[in-house]
Amino acid sequence: MSALAGLLATSIAAPAFADIDPLSGIDFVRITHPGNAPWAGNGTLDDRAIGRGGVDYEYNIGRFEVTTSQWVEFMNAARDRPVGDSIPFVNVPSNWGASGMPPTVPGGQRWRVPAGNEMRAVGGVTWRMAAVYCNWLTNGKGTAREAFLSGAYDVSTFGYNGNIFTDQLARSPGATYFIPTWDEWLKAVHFDPNRYGDDQAGDWLGPYSQEGIPSGGPPGQGNANWREFAGWQSVLLGAYDRQTPWGLYDAAGATGEWTESVLQFSPELERYRIYDGSFWNSNISGVADLISRRSADFPSIPTYQFGLRIAAVVPSPSGCVLALGLIALATARRRRIALTPSRS
């Protein structure tokens, strides 16, 4: 039994809308209740989330952050290539559970996942690396160079004009896998559909259906601030038994998760990409275990504590591809019938 299968088999009951996507291998949770009210605040000083978190459509988001198993497949496709054909902006993450192995082509790089590391989180991922990963998934894990360069985000836009990044600001129409916006992330972590309609409009201040910062410590004793004990970097995703109201694991602890949303205070000042969640080594270091907090950084920064959680369209992207294929087959069949001479 795989680590993911074993974890899911022993975890508490999953929400009604869970969908392990066969293409990406991501266990998606469907976020429903379109049109939820945004966070109205609760009097917290410098509350940065007021007016945010409302989403007027359904979407999928990963139950877990991207795992070492999922990232190894991507890295092997992007880096185990001939000299001169490696994919831009894709570098080796600084913190994950993979080990090197011989490449299949001269000049390439390749990795494997040692047993037991399948559910290790991936840290040291820039926003741009996350965007290229979404392109690759949106293009069906194609091996051609073009499969990595567009689809969800146009890599040709990645750059800087002074201190202002020029990267495509939002995902392309038709993207099936993407980096969640901050609003999508907030709803998936803090909004409780079973609480909707009370004075707080369904949002919890903390990530695990509670009004405070989660306690820190090792699995079984805490849910954040993993660095309080030895071996914190090797803790597997899902080791903590607490979930967001929608069933997401590790919204506190693990990595700080990139979002698609941009922070820019005025046109002449730097742009940043917002990230949320909490760092591996802290639950209070400027990022948000509380809904009122968040932070941001340049999209090219590969700090070891930066990771990602993937979002996707509804129905699941693989389901969309299957549906399009069935429609095409039905259309072709009707066309053949229409062109067949009558025997009457």
Side-chain angles (χ1 to χ4, degrees):
M1 179 181 290
S2 70
L4 174 58
L7 175 62
L8 294 179
T10 57
S11 64
I12 66 174
F17 298 105
D19 181 11
I20 298 180
D21 174 48
L23 173 65
S24 65
I26 295 172
D27 180 14
F28 282 117
V29 174
R30 186 183 301 183
I31 308 300
T32 59
H33 291 63
N36 63 296
W39 172 245
N42 66 345
T44 300
L45 184 65
D46 191 29
D47 189 334
R48 302 169 185 177
I50 292 177
R52 305 300 299 263
V55 182
D56 61 2
Y57 48 85
E58 294 188 358
Y59 58 99
N60 286 323
I61 194 166
R63 187 185 300 275
F64 303 97
E65 294 173 357
V66 171
T67 69
T68 289
S69 288
Q70 293 158 354
W71 201 253
V72 159
E73 185 182 4
F74 165 64
M75 290 295 293
N76 286 343
R79 302 282 297 195
D80 192 9
R81 308 171 74 89
V83 175
D85 192 41
S86 62
I87 305 303
F89 302 106
V90 178
N91 298 311
V92 182
S94 57
N95 196 81
W96 61 334
S99 297
M101 62 181 299
T104 61
V105 297
Q109 289 180 287
R110 194 166 186 84
W111 296 266
R112 65 180 182 86
V113 185
N117 283 356
E118 294 86 353
M119 291 293 291
R120 283 273 297 271
V122 182
V125 174
T126 69
W127 186 93
R128 290 171 175 173
M129 289 168 65
V132 175
Y133 180 65
C134 292
N135 286 345
W136 180 64
L137 293 179
T138 292
N139 289 310
K141 296 184 176 178
T143 57
R145 186 177 179 82
E146 293 73 21
F148 298 86
L149 303 183
S150 65
Y153 306 94
D154 184 354
V155 171
S156 70
T157 67
F158 292 1
Y160 285 93
N161 181 9
N163 287 328
I164 300 176
F165 70 76
T166 58
D167 306 27
Q168 179 177 329
L169 296 183
R171 57 190 176 252
S172 300
T176 49
Y177 301 87
F178 42 85
I179 302 167
T181 66
W182 191 36
D183 295 300
E184 291 165 345
W185 194 96
L186 287 173
K187 181 173 181 178
V189 171
H190 294 280
F191 179 75
D192 187 345
N194 296 317
R195 204 181 188 211
Y196 191 61
D198 70 8
D199 291 342
Q200 295 172 333
D203 290 305
W204 292 95
L205 186 63
Y208 298 131
S209 302
Q210 95 285 0
E211 293 297 350
I213 296 176
S215 59
Q221 300 179 34
N223 294 279
N225 202 6
W226 294 10
R227 202 168 187 171
E228 290 185 356
F229 63 97
W232 56 274
Q233 287 179 301
S234 61
V235 174
L236 301 183
L237 293 168
Y240 292 92
D241 61 2
R242 297 189 69 180
Q243 306 173 37
T244 76
W246 296 99
L248 276 61
Y249 285 89
D250 306 307
T255 69
E257 300 174 20
W258 287 112
T259 79
E260 186 183 87
S261 297
V262 174
L263 177 67
Q264 186 175 24
F265 295 105
S266 64
E268 68 276 5
L269 294 178
E270 296 92 342
R271 287 176 180 160
Y272 305 96
R273 294 287 187 179
I274 293 173
Y275 61 90
D276 211 326
S278 63
F279 279 161
W280 257 308
N281 69 347
S282 178
N283 61 357
I284 56 173
S285 60
V287 287
D289 282 332
L290 300 181
I291 192 174
S292 55
R293 304 176 68 185
R294 56 99 181 98
S295 196
D297 213 325
F298 292 113
S300 56
I301 298 297
T303 302
Y304 80 102
Q305 304 207 64
F306 286 163
L308 69 152
R309 191 185 300 263
I310 293 296
V313 296
V314 170
S316 65
S318 296
C320 292
V321 172
L322 176 61
L324 290 173
L326 292 174
I327 291 171
L329 287 172
T331 301
R333 184 174 181 274
R334 287 195 298 269
R335 184 173 185 272
R336 286 197 301 270
I337 293 173
L339 294 176
T340 301
S342 172
R343 297 189 180 185
S344 57

